[in-house]
Amino acid sequence: EVQLVESGGGSVQTGGSLRLSCSASRSTFCMGWFRQAPGKEREGIAYITMYGTTRYADSVKGRFTISRDNAKNTQTLQMNSLQPEETAMYYCAARQDRCGLGLEDGYYWGQGTQVTVSS
């Protein structure tokens, strides 16, 4: 079992930036972020392996940056140029065996942190 705790959500205006952080109770191979807007499915937006390999959803590529500190079992997501349609609950995710942006079994989840982007 892995416990994940997010922080850093909040409200920002269009074009603004936010940084999300997540702390894990122990090391995992993969750490990532998903988001879920009201009435929509949860979608993967970024992941990073313990070796530093990253992948982003096309919708956030070039604007979001994921990073991790293996020694502290933490990850961060720097989000720039935020748009109103990105208003959602953002979830920290982790798994031990592989990384992916698809919604699959095997993830550990944080409780979520709300990001609201106003126009």
Side-chain angles (χ1 to χ4, degrees), residues 37-65:
K40 295 188 176 181
E41 291 187 352
R42 193 172 297 190
E43 62 171 347
I45 55 176
Y47 71 64
I48 184 167
T49 74
M50 64 188 306
Y51 302 111
T53 300
T54 60
R55 184 182 172 193
Y56 299 91
D58 289 344
S59 59
V60 307
K61 204 172 295 183
R63 299 184 297 118
F64 290 14
T65 302

Side-chain angles (χ1 to χ4, degrees), residues 4 18 25-26 45 48 52 55 61 65 77 80 88 92 102 107:
L4 302 169
L18 283 173
S25 59
R26 60 186 179 94
I45 55 176
I48 184 167
R55 184 182 172 193
K61 204 172 295 183
T65 302
L77 183 69
N80 298 328
C92 174
Y107 282 103

Side-chain angles (χ1 to χ4, degrees), residues 52-117:
T53 300
T54 60
R55 184 182 172 193
Y56 299 91
D58 289 344
S59 59
V60 307
K61 204 172 295 183
R63 299 184 297 118
F64 290 14
T65 302
I66 190 170
S67 60
R68 67 186 285 174
D69 184 332
N70 290 334
K72 298 180 179 179
N73 297 330
T74 58
Q75 65 161 339
T76 62
L77 183 69
Q78 176 67 42
M79 305 185 294
N80 298 328
S81 301
L82 284 161
Q83 302 299 311
E85 57 267 28
E86 297 182 294
T87 294
M89 188 71 78
Y90 283 67
Y91 295 91
C92 174
R95 63 184 297 162
Q96 296 288 23
D97 56 346
R98 64 182 185 272
C99 280
L101 295 180
L103 190 59
E104 307 172 351
D105 292 338
Y107 282 103
Y108 299 100
W109 297 99
Q111 79 283 0
T113 185
Q114 179 68 38
V115 171
T116 301
V117 186

